[in-house]
């Protein structure tokens, strides 16, 4: 960790780095992430600051309907913007050799960011894959794939213990696809409790969330993490156009998944 400092990865949540879909849109990266992953979000009139919303699925804990309200001063409803490959781990596996611009991009890359329970994020810290895994075992295969995608993209390496730990996880899911750019892909579900996301009066406008899209089953979004979930729901095989169909379920791209 010699020489490591968070500032080595640029200004926190800098909007002016990288070539991402939300780069240079006038909103900081954290609020872009909240807008991306929350449902029923309430956004201030400036169009950027997200006051509240619902994280339908927390990948690290597996909890559903995690309510976020930035104004209630309650740690339990906070959400952390988590780096899937921790910046400290990135530093010791090659990021110190990247340019300042590349490190700033890594810290703000949507592929390497997702919203999680703050307690679990603090528990993880800068741990690598060999020393910390999400308690939610159903997410571990995706977690491994996401780490591999990020490390490959930024030319970082894995240590021998990391590689061994990744192999132990991935042997249980040999068909796990390389993670998609959106870290929530395959884990989107609809918030299913009709509860106000914020109880604090604010000058707000209601934003439209891109998290859940109508899927033809009465307007409710359906999403399956993997083919096991599709089969458990009695929806296999699943075809393009069916509720819950996703490219991660159709690895040969023929329009029919989980055959």
């Amino acid at each position: 960790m010699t020489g490591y400092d968070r500032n080595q990865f640029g200004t926190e949540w800098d909007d002016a780095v990288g070539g991402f879909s939300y780069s240079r849109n006038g909103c900081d990266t954290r609020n872009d992430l909240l807008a991306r992953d929350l449902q029923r979000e309430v956004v201030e009139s400036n169009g950027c600051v997200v006051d509240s919303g619902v994280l339908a699925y927390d990948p690290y804990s597996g909890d559903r309907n995690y309510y976020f309200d930035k104004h209630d001063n309650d740690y339990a409803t906070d959400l952390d913007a988590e780096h899937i490959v921790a910046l400290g781990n990135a530093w010791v596996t090659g990021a110190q050799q990247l340019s300042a611009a590349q490190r700033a991009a890594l810290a703000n890359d949507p592929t390497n960011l997702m919203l999680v329970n703050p307690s679990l994020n603090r528990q993880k810290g800068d741990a690598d894959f060999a020393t910390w895994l999400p308690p939610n075992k159903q997410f571990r295969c995706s977690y491994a794939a996401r780490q591999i995608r990020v490390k490959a993209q930024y030319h970082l390496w894995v240590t021998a213990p990391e590689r061994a730990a990744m192999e132990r996880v991935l042997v249980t899911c040999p068909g796990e696809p390389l993670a998609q750019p959106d870290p929530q892909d395959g884990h989107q579900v609809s918030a299913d409790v009709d509860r106000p996301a914020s109880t604090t009066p604010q000058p707000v406008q209601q934003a439209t969330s891109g998290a859940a899209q109508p899927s033809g089953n009465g307007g409710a979004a359906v999403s399956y993490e993997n083919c096991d979930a599709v089969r458990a729901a009695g929806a296999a095989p699943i075809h393009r156009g069916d509720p819950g169909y996703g490219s991660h379920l159709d690895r040969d791209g023929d329009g029919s998944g989980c055959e």
Side-chain angles (χ1 to χ4, degrees):
M1 296 293 283
T2 302
Y4 170 71
D5 186 278
R6 173 61 178 82
N7 292 333
Q8 295 279 9
F9 290 82
T11 304
E12 190 172 36
W13 310 135
D14 191 350
D15 178 48
V17 300
F20 314 123
S21 60
Y22 51 51
S23 294
R24 302 168 186 83
N25 67 354
C27 303
D28 66 81
T29 300
R30 175 176 165 77
N31 277 295
D32 283 327
L33 187 64
L34 288 165
R36 183 193 74 180
D37 290 349
L38 293 185
Q39 300 179 31
R40 304 179 188 174
E41 67 264 28
V42 176
V43 182
E44 292 184 5
S45 57
N46 61 17
C48 281
V49 177
V50 178
D51 281 333
S52 59
V54 183
L55 183 66
Y57 175 82
D58 172 19
Y60 278 3
S61 68
D63 290 343
R64 294 282 307 273
N65 300 310
Y66 196 104
Y67 288 90
F68 166 75
D69 186 340
K70 67 171 290 188
H71 297 288
D72 66 1
N73 297 316
D74 183 358
Y75 179 81
T77 64
D78 289 343
L79 282 169
D80 277 0
E82 152 73 347
H83 291 101
I84 297 169
V85 174
L87 299 186
N89 175 243
W91 179 259
V92 301
T93 58
Q96 54 189 281
Q97 299 173 12
L98 300 177
S99 68
Q102 288 172 319
R103 288 196 296 268
L106 169 62
N108 290 275
D109 192 327
T111 307
N112 194 34
L113 288 168
M114 63 184 180
L115 297 173
V116 300
N117 177 307
S119 295
L120 292 176
N121 186 33
R122 307 295 199 281
Q123 181 189 99
K124 172 185 171 181
D126 283 318
D128 64 13
F129 197 93
T131 54
W132 189 89
L133 290 175
N136 179 19
K137 293 182 179 180
Q138 292 184 344
F139 182 66
R140 289 180 179 179
C141 287
S142 294
Y143 184 63
R146 293 182 188 352
Q147 287 226 353
I148 291 167
R149 184 185 181 99
V150 171
K151 291 208 169 199
Q153 182 174 339
Y154 288 91
H155 308 289
L156 309 177
W157 60 78
V158 295
T159 65
E162 282 181 285
R163 175 174 177 147
M166 288 175 174
E167 288 177 341
R168 282 195 298 270
V169 169
L170 292 173
V171 74
T172 68
C173 46
E176 181 71 24
L178 187 63
Q180 298 301 309
D182 180 352
Q184 289 282 3
D185 182 62
H187 297 276
Q188 291 287 7
V189 293
S190 290
D192 56 15
V193 177
D194 188 14
R195 170 180 160 183
S198 175
T199 57
T200 306
Q202 296 291 328
V204 299
Q205 62 186 23
Q206 195 69 34
T208 301
S209 171
Q213 299 295 330
S215 58
N217 60 331
V222 176
S223 182
Y224 300 106
E225 179 179 351
N226 50 41
C227 283
D228 287 343
V230 175
R231 295 185 184 99
I238 189 167
H239 305 287
R240 186 177 291 118
D242 289 348
Y245 171 86
S247 59
H248 64 293
L249 303 172
D250 182 9
R251 299 189 182 96
D252 58 7
D254 65 353
S256 181
C258 306
E259 297 98 330

